[in-house]
Amino acid sequence: MNTSNKLTIIYFITAFLVGIALFALNILVGSVHIPLREALQVIFNKDNSSALHVIIFDYRFPQAVTALLSGAALAVAGLMMQTLFRNPLADPSILGISSGAGLGVASVILVSGSLAVIPHWTALTITSSAFFGAVVVLAVITLLSRRLNSMVMLIIIGIMIAYLTGAITDILKYFSRKEEIHAFVIWGLGDFSAVGTSNLDFYTVTIIAGLLCGMLLSKTLNMLIIGESYAENLGLNIRRATAFTIAVSGFLTAVVTAFCGPIAFLGLAVPHLARFIFHSSNHIILTPASALIGADLALACNLIARLPGLEETLPINAVTALIGAPIVIYVIFRYRK
Amino acid sequence: MQNILEIDSLSIGYNGNAILKPITWAAAKGDMIALTGSNGLGKSTLLRVLSGRTRPISGTVRLMGADIHTFTPKQRAKLVSIVLTERPEDMFLKVKDVVASGRFPYSGLFGKISENDEKHIKASLEVIGINHLINKDFTSLSDGERQKVMIAKAIAQDTPLILMDEPMAFLDYKSRIEIFELMTKMTSEEGKTVIFSSHDLDLVNRYCEKQWNLEKWAVS
Amino acid sequence: MFEKILHVLRTNISLLAVVIFAFFSCESGNSSLQNNDNNDITSSNINHHSKYLAIKNYKSGFYIVIKNPWDADKTLDEFYVFPDSVGIPQEIKTKRIIKSPVKSAVTFSSTQWSVFLQLGEIERVSGILEGQSATIKKVKALVKEGLIADIGSESNFDREKIISLKPDIIIYTPYPTSNCSDLERLTDALCVPFADYLENTPLGRAEWLKLIGILCGKEKEASQWFSDIETRYNTLKIKCDTVSRKPTVFSDLPYGNQWYIAGGSSYIAQFFKDAGAEYVFSDDHSAASRLIDPEKMLLRAGNADFWRVTNSNAFPLEREKMAAQNELFTHFKAFRENNIIVCDIIKTSYFETAQYRPDEILADFITIFHPEILTNHEPSYYHLGLK
């Protein structure tokens, strides 16, 4: 085994251990201070009536699992987009999938008016409308990708769709009442607790299925990264590969966005971080690496968003951007050297 | 001896409009054929048709005796490989990754490199004489070195026919000589058939016995 | 510290507070609107509960100061109201004068036009915001017939329509970033800020009806109306002063994960206090809402006896649906025991009417918190328990 392989394994193990540590911290730390001994007692005791038990098992645990899965999903989706479009700025939102989800939510919260002044009653509706909006955009893009040869055109169309859906959302907002706009703004801030224990099984299965599909596309992505013409010459059906890649990465984005809102920056930043740390372009390595680092980063962001001493949770979307932007800047500076 | 490639009354063009008069040619094992003609005539288009990527307006391209479009993309990938002017741009691609991509038609679902693949990769680097570059970042290489890596990829792909679009473009004189020497070695020693387009008439005349000149068929 | 003392004074010895308050407002009130006859302005306000409104008699009219809720040293607006019949005293140089009764008023909030309606003066209202969503039949019908113009939504009101209505006044809802100056330029109307929603006490909010009363020329009726409210409110409140056990209560639903809690000195907190209940966030002395982490919420309110919520949907709240949407709810004692106090906003016309019935709301709450005190009260706004 050569040194670069050894290093790769060491990095994987490190990322995994960091993930475990961050997960534990997510369970143990929050705005309510629970001393370690007491927390351990709550975790290992069967008594499930205390408020602390509720806080740990019904609030912190599903939130940590959601953060972990969402981070992994967005990172892998971003990696696939960046490779497919050979564009370092591509991320799951570039094809308008997040804006599609936003329009879906906007039409429920804003158009249905009094139906949703208190959006919590329609959380399920919000999830399904976000998913619906995302999937419609996804379907349009996937269909177009089979008819268009040029990735650049596809990106432009994606951005245009994002503008269109964004504009419609803005118009809806303009004609809406304060409460409704507020509800929409809050959805836009992102929320890892929205999955909760009741949807956690579904979320876990769906995201893991998406991640496995992403893993199965590793060879396709390894071919695409050499160049489209070469990939085609190597036996790849480009249009089908493009459609599959968009579908899988769009699906992951749609599921995460539907439940947690548009989580910014993880999809853009993590693939760069993964390439930079693992110094590889091989997706057999990069896909699991992005998933791990994405999970780690999301857990870290979730921890920062709920730092003890803070009465309120910071919006997760702000934290991911605050952490993500410097990472991208740092990596770009290091790339240049 | 069986022809590797047979071109039969082939008419190529865009949107149904032919840009060349129908052509009929054949290439045998070990041939090194230069495709010449002035710019914009359709050399690249012809190479795309020969690689099976684009369909002709009429006529046929036969590869090992069968119409090129009767092969599946994967089968075709084992018969014809290409070297284009475009280059991989990902900054973390190693030379080995690029050459190894030539083995994708032979590998499984995850593209795992087998021992046999490993042998092919080593051998292609050997033929081209760039073993020392194997762990270098592809984007850190010079133009000439990159071209050699792309040719090594084509060799690793283990196809009887290799098509090259302007392999001398952007190269200095020394590198161009090297590439010509390499192509001669590949055809005469390895038994490959190489068809390449070029403007470099001096070197073409010096190295190639066979030339296909597209000018003669230009539509008036 | 000073604020705390003031707070105690205001709530416990309200009369003294009013005097201090009047003293301050009198000083700031006259600082910018200069006139030579300060003596003609009565030294005390004729309102006692509203923090941001100061109404004083001035000769046969009124001198009104709206204080700036975001900057205590400044006034938001000040103007005179004189009956049309008496004419304007010569010494008044300012142009900020309203002749009462107003003929055409544009209102921005239902808490404004609903006073016109209850005083029998709704025909003075020529335009309202969000006319489509008015829940009171009479107003809905007037909007439909076109007798009252619907001037759009707050974020997007129709300026051309407002101009065409030729209002003499535009009563608007002030925000830190908004004023009405563009409308004053476009019309001949005087724009009156109505800062009722910033008042922290039920009576303080209700008392703004006096301002509308003056604008309609019905100041006596309005005064009587308010004093009835005040009397009943205070009588009910006194009954709760001696309760032995104060149930704990918390308020409001989260937006997703964002749980906003009303401050300990807020409007709703004052109701809880006056109805003999203990608000779980009463230690927070702010009047504003703020965000709180859900796990803190669980810790603080998990064992509270009651949970007050409002329902803006057209359909009733159901416990099962609530639990399906946010399973954290099931960990609140009030939720498990169905001690949820719910107000159906639409069914009760809450936004239009509740502000001027604080006595009724207080009675609703007392019936729930202390059924032994109020035995035969039929609740109007708040009901206990969900399906």
Side-chain angles (χ1 to χ4, degrees):
Chain A
M1 190 184 282
N2 63 35
T3 39
S4 105
N5 277 348
K6 262 186 209 154
L7 266 180
T8 303
I9 289 173
I10 290 171
Y11 288 147
F12 267 119
I13 293 173
T14 312
F16 185 71
L17 293 178
V18 167
I20 289 179
L22 283 167
F23 189 87
L25 280 173
N26 265 273
I27 300 293
L28 295 174
V29 176
S31 67
V32 170
H33 175 67
I34 307 176
L36 185 61
R37 181 184 294 186
E38 217 171 308
L40 293 177
Q41 265 172 10
V42 169
I43 292 170
F44 295 108
N45 269 350
K46 289 277 174 231
D47 163 45
N48 55 4
S49 57
S50 74
L52 294 187
H53 186 277
V54 172
I55 287 172
I56 288 178
F57 281 94
D58 295 283
Y59 184 67
R60 291 184 185 174
F61 177 75
Q63 195 171 352
V65 174
T66 306
L68 180 156
L69 290 169
S70 313
L74 292 172
V76 169
L79 174 71
M80 293 169 83
M81 290 284 163
Q82 285 175 11
T83 300
L84 178 65
F85 294 114
R86 282 189 298 286
N87 186 328
L89 281 178
D91 79 339
S93 66
I94 200 164
L95 290 179
I97 292 165
S98 310
S99 354
L103 180 58
V105 172
S107 38
V108 162
I109 295 183
L110 306 176
V111 170
S112 64
S114 62
L115 271 179
V117 171
I118 299 173
H120 214 273
W121 307 136
T122 53
L124 202 65
T125 337
I126 287 177
T127 306
S128 33
S129 60
F131 190 72
F132 182 74
V135 165
V136 167
V137 171
L138 182 60
V140 170
I141 293 279
T142 312
L143 282 176
L144 286 175
S145 75
R146 304 211 53 159
R147 314 199 77 214
L148 281 175
N149 275 324
S150 156
M151 297 292 176
V152 177
M153 300 246 269
L154 205 52
I155 287 192
I156 293 172
I157 287 180
I159 294 174
M160 289 309 120
I161 289 182
Y163 272 119
L164 276 177
T165 49
I168 300 173
T169 307
D170 281 346
I171 291 173
L172 289 178
K173 266 157 87 176
Y174 193 64
F175 288 105
S176 300
R177 292 189 296 179
K178 277 199 302 266
E179 296 91 336
E180 290 144 18
I181 294 172
H182 186 68
F184 183 72
V185 167
I186 282 185
W187 176 80
L189 295 176
D191 177 10
F192 284 144
S193 78
V195 174
T197 46
S198 54
N199 292 320
L200 198 60
D201 293 347
F202 172 76
Y203 195 71
T204 310
V205 170
T206 324
I207 296 286
I208 287 179
L211 289 174
L212 288 178
C213 289
M215 199 60 212
L216 286 176
L217 283 168
S218 296
K219 182 180 171 182
T220 299
L221 295 173
N222 280 344
M223 289 165 98
L224 281 171
I225 207 165
I226 303 292
E228 223 172 293
S229 308
Y230 292 115
E232 186 167 29
N233 174 247
L234 290 167
L236 189 69
N237 181 332
I238 298 290
R239 290 185 184 183
R240 198 195 295 161
T242 306
F244 274 144
T245 308
I246 290 178
V248 172
S249 113
F251 175 77
L252 285 169
T253 312
V255 173
V256 174
T257 312
F259 277 97
C260 307
I263 308 286
F265 252 98
L266 287 178
L268 178 64
V270 174
H272 288 290
L273 204 55
R275 275 189 282 261
F276 181 71
I277 293 175
F278 285 79
H279 214 278
S280 171
S281 63
N282 183 354
H283 290 74
I284 304 288
I285 294 171
L286 282 183
T287 308
S290 296
L292 264 179
I293 296 174
D296 289 357
L297 207 59
L299 284 168
C301 290
N302 196 46
L303 194 65
I304 292 169
R306 304 177 308 118
L307 270 187
L310 288 178
E311 277 274 280
E312 56 275 294
T313 313
L314 296 176
I316 193 72
N317 221 341
V319 179
T320 52
L322 278 174
I323 306 248
I327 286 178
V328 172
I329 293 170
Y330 173 77
V331 169
I332 282 172
F333 267 88
R334 292 295 299 262
Y335 274 170
R336 290 167 54 89
K337 283 177 189 168
Chain B
M1 196 170 77
Q2 195 204 354
N3 281 329
I4 300 288
L5 177 75
E6 286 163 347
I7 305 169
D8 192 1
S9 10
L10 187 75
S11 176
I12 60 166
Y14 310 101
N15 304 324
N17 300 318
I19 50 173
L20 296 171
K21 280 185 185 169
I23 46 179
T24 302
W25 283 320
K29 184 169 158 59
D31 272 355
M32 174 173 161
I33 300 168
L35 206 56
T36 54
S38 50
N39 265 335
L41 208 57
K43 292 194 293 283
S44 298
T45 312
L46 178 59
L47 285 173
R48 269 208 299 281
V49 172
L50 296 186
S51 72
R53 194 174 174 201
T54 312
R55 281 185 181 267
I57 292 172
S58 63
T60 50
V61 176
R62 277 191 297 276
L63 211 54
M64 317 295 283
D67 188 325
I68 193 165
H69 290 289
T70 61
F71 297 108
T72 64
K74 210 157 183 185
Q75 288 170 329
R76 205 158 57 216
K78 294 175 185 174
L79 295 175
V80 53
S81 56
I82 57 170
V83 174
L84 305 173
T85 44
E86 66 176 80
R87 301 272 178 267
E89 282 158 14
D90 190 276
M91 50 184 54
F92 292 110
L93 272 174
K94 299 271 190 300
V95 167
K96 191 185 171 186
D97 295 327
V98 178
V99 178
S101 74
R103 301 305 298 167
F104 280 138
Y106 305 92
S107 61
L109 188 59
F110 287 101
K112 191 171 162 23
I113 302 286
S114 68
E115 264 176 53
N116 184 38
D117 293 328
E118 203 73 61
K119 255 188 255 165
H120 272 277
I121 295 166
K122 289 254 165 64
S124 347
L125 289 166
E126 195 84 43
V127 170
I128 309 295
I130 49 169
N131 314 44
H132 59 289
L133 297 178
I134 186 163
N135 284 320
K136 282 261 166 44
D137 284 341
F138 181 78
T139 48
S140 70
L141 304 181
S142 71
D143 284 335
E145 287 171 328
R146 288 187 206 190
Q147 186 63 289
K148 286 181 188 169
V149 174
M150 295 319 291
I151 296 173
K153 182 230 71 159
I155 295 174
Q157 203 173 331
D158 198 18
T159 58
L161 175 63
I162 299 176
L163 305 174
M164 299 197 213
D165 194 6
E166 302 284 353
M168 315 315 154
F170 311 118
L171 300 188
D172 58 22
Y173 187 73
K174 183 172 158 282
S175 302
R176 280 183 293 188
I177 298 276
E178 277 179 4
I179 300 293
F180 269 103
E181 295 284 347
L182 269 176
M183 290 198 294
T184 310
K185 189 176 169 192
M186 280 154 62
T187 47
S188 56
E189 289 177 24
E190 310 282 322
K192 305 281 183 195
T193 303
V194 173
I195 301 174
F196 67 99
S197 59
S198 179
H199 288 109
D200 210 332
L201 291 178
D202 287 350
L203 288 174
V204 164
N205 287 332
R206 195 189 323 163
Y207 283 93
C208 300
E209 287 168 22
K210 250 178 152 177
Q211 288 181 32
W212 292 347
N213 192 342
L214 289 184
E215 263 176 326
K216 289 179 199 163
W217 286 276
V219 178
S220 55
Chain C
M1 188 64 190
F2 178 67
E3 260 191 9
K4 206 168 176 178
I5 294 170
L6 210 80
H7 175 77
V8 171
L9 287 177
R10 248 203 321 272
T11 48
N12 292 352
I13 327 166
S14 58
L15 192 70
L16 182 59
V18 165
V19 172
I20 294 171
F21 181 67
F23 173 73
F24 282 125
S25 57
C26 192
E27 278 216 325
S28 61
N30 294 328
S31 55
S32 55
L33 192 72
Q34 205 54 46
N35 62 66
N36 304 324
D37 283 285
N38 278 347
N39 296 339
D40 288 330
I41 299 182
T42 52
S43 55
S44 65
N45 296 341
I46 57 172
N47 64 309
H48 312 292
H49 297 276
S50 303
K51 208 163 136 190
Y52 303 117
L53 175 67
I55 306 173
K56 295 164 201 294
N57 287 310
Y58 181 88
K59 292 193 171 162
S60 52
F62 299 92
Y63 169 63
I64 290 159
V65 178
I66 316 286
K67 308 228 280 171
N68 189 328
W70 305 283
D71 188 345
D73 298 333
K74 288 187 182 146
T75 60
L76 207 56
D77 201 353
E78 45 202 311
F79 52 89
Y80 293 90
V81 181
F82 290 109
D84 208 10
S85 50
V86 301
I88 299 152
Q90 282 179 345
E91 71 275 13
I92 307 285
K93 297 287 182 283
T94 174
K95 283 182 178 164
R96 300 200 72 75
I97 298 167
I98 296 168
K99 288 184 192 163
S100 74
V102 296
K103 289 178 192 68
S104 166
V106 166
T107 64
F108 271 39
S109 148
S110 55
T111 61
Q112 296 152 13
W113 58 252
S114 67
V115 182
F116 283 94
L117 181 70
Q118 294 193 57
L119 289 172
E121 301 288 333
I122 190 69
E123 69 275 8
R124 301 196 185 281
V125 176
S126 54
I128 64 176
L129 276 182
E130 284 171 8
Q132 306 298 338
S133 51
T135 62
I136 290 180
K137 280 201 189 88
K138 178 161 185 191
V139 175
K140 228 178 185 169
L142 287 170
V143 171
K144 212 172 174 185
E145 288 167 40
L147 293 170
I148 293 179
D150 182 351
I151 53 169
S153 68
E154 186 147 31
S155 54
N156 176 36
F157 53 80
D158 187 341
R159 286 176 170 75
E160 292 189 9
K161 200 173 254 174
I162 294 177
I163 295 166
S164 74
L165 294 171
K166 295 190 174 140
D168 1 80
I169 57 164
I170 296 167
I171 307 176
Y172 72 100
T173 311
Y175 295 103
T177 51
S178 74
N179 59 47
C180 210
S181 55
D182 66 321
L183 282 176
E184 283 202 348
R185 268 201 315 277
L186 294 167
T187 63
D188 295 328
L190 200 81
C191 286
V192 176
F194 205 74
D196 59 338
Y197 78 102
L198 292 158
E199 299 287 348
N200 304 332
T201 64
L203 290 176
R205 251 184 225 189
E207 202 173 20
W208 280 77
L209 65 84
K210 287 184 177 171
L211 175 58
I212 307 270
I214 289 169
L215 295 172
C216 295
K218 284 203 166 173
E219 57 271 10
K220 291 209 175 60
E221 289 88 335
S223 259
Q224 185 55 48
W225 176 16
F226 181 75
S227 114
D228 291 346
I229 295 171
E230 192 183 17
T231 312
R232 179 162 178 238
Y233 190 96
N234 286 332
T235 317
L236 286 167
K237 184 181 153 190
I238 288 164
K239 285 188 184 172
C240 300
D241 281 351
T242 52
V243 293
S244 50
R245 203 193 79 85
K246 289 189 170 185
T248 49
V249 59
F250 69 106
S251 181
D252 291 320
L253 291 163
Y255 285 94
N257 194 28
Q258 313 273 312
W259 216 308
Y260 284 89
I261 54 154
S265 304
S266 62
Y267 180 70
I268 192 71
Q270 188 68 44
F271 268 126
F272 293 151
K273 192 177 173 193
D274 292 346
E278 173 73 31
Y279 180 42
V280 294
F281 296 104
S282 56
D283 58 333
D284 170 318
H285 293 294
S286 142
S289 317
R290 65 184 174 87
L291 262 178
I292 192 166
D293 191 272
E295 58 180 65
K296 265 244 150 90
M297 197 67 192
L298 271 167
L299 198 69
R300 297 287 296 270
N303 282 319
D305 300 314
F306 291 98
W307 183 6
R308 170 261 182 188
V309 299
T310 53
N311 173 29
S312 314
N313 299 321
F315 44 84
L317 281 186
E318 282 171 42
R319 231 152 52 98
E320 242 173 72
K321 277 190 190 161
M322 285 174 73
Q325 297 306 333
N326 189 340
E327 62 252 356
L328 282 187
F329 289 170
T330 58
H331 302 294
F332 287 87
K333 180 184 155 204
F335 184 87
R336 283 197 306 273
E337 297 178 357
N338 200 11
N339 278 332
I340 301 169
I341 307 170
V342 63
C343 172
D344 279 308
I345 300 282
I346 295 177
K347 218 162 73 187
T348 59
S349 292
Y350 182 86
F351 288 132
E352 286 96 339
T353 62
Q355 178 161 322
Y356 304 108
R357 299 182 71 191
D359 48 332
E360 185 66 13
I361 291 176
L362 188 65
D364 289 357
F365 277 134
I366 293 172
T367 311
I368 291 164
F369 296 140
H370 302 288
E372 70 284 356
I373 293 180
L374 223 55
T375 45
N376 54 359
H377 171 72
E378 187 60 43
S380 301
Y381 293 99
Y382 286 98
H383 297 264
L384 183 64
L386 293 179
K387 210 169 94 182

